[in-house]
Amino acid sequence: MADPMRIRAQAAGDKATVRVLMSHEMETGQRKDAAGKVIPAWHITELSATHNGKPVLAAQWGPSISKNPFLQFTIKGAKAGDKVAVSWVDNRGDKRTDEATVS
């Protein structure tokens, strides 16, 4: 299982800016190791975010996303105390969900 995501959600007016730092190797499947063998692909394929249980973001990613990806997005209508959850699934079937409270 991957390390927890670092999620920061800050309200400003009627919007909240959400910043997410994910810990994931994001291997493309095109690099080779020191012995010349191809390193198998391992990357996040699906990402979603919810605000108080309602979906606000859905994305499909591929191997071109960088290692330990950073994501930032804005949610309209969010206020301090609301819950924001971010989930991902990778091509090996590993899953991760973490939650933060809007401050």
Side-chain angles (χ1 to χ4, degrees):
M1 169 97 13
D3 293 333
M5 289 180 264
R6 297 172 71 189
I7 304 172
R8 303 285 185 265
Q10 294 179 318
D14 68 336
K15 298 179 186 175
T17 300
V18 181
R19 294 175 180 91
V20 185
L21 182 60
M22 296 165 239
S23 178
H24 198 285
E25 290 298 315
M26 299 298 284
E27 192 58 58
T28 66
Q30 298 176 0
R31 293 185 326 124
K32 295 181 180 180
D33 63 13
K37 292 185 176 185
V38 174
I39 300 170
W42 183 33
H43 53 84
I44 295 172
T45 57
E46 296 175 27
L47 178 104
S48 62
T50 61
H51 169 236
N52 290 333
K54 295 181 182 179
V56 293
L57 174 79
Q60 294 180 342
W61 284 1
S64 64
I65 305 296
S66 68
K67 179 180 179 178
N68 299 325
F70 173 80
L71 175 69
Q72 179 175 316
F73 59 96
T74 303
I75 301 172
K76 290 183 181 180
K79 58 187 181 306
D82 288 357
K83 299 288 184 189
V84 175
V86 178
S87 303
W88 57 253
V89 178
D90 68 19
N91 65 323
R92 291 184 182 173
D94 292 336
K95 298 177 182 182
R96 178 91 205 176
T97 300
D98 290 299
E99 190 176 272
T101 303
V102 178
S103 60

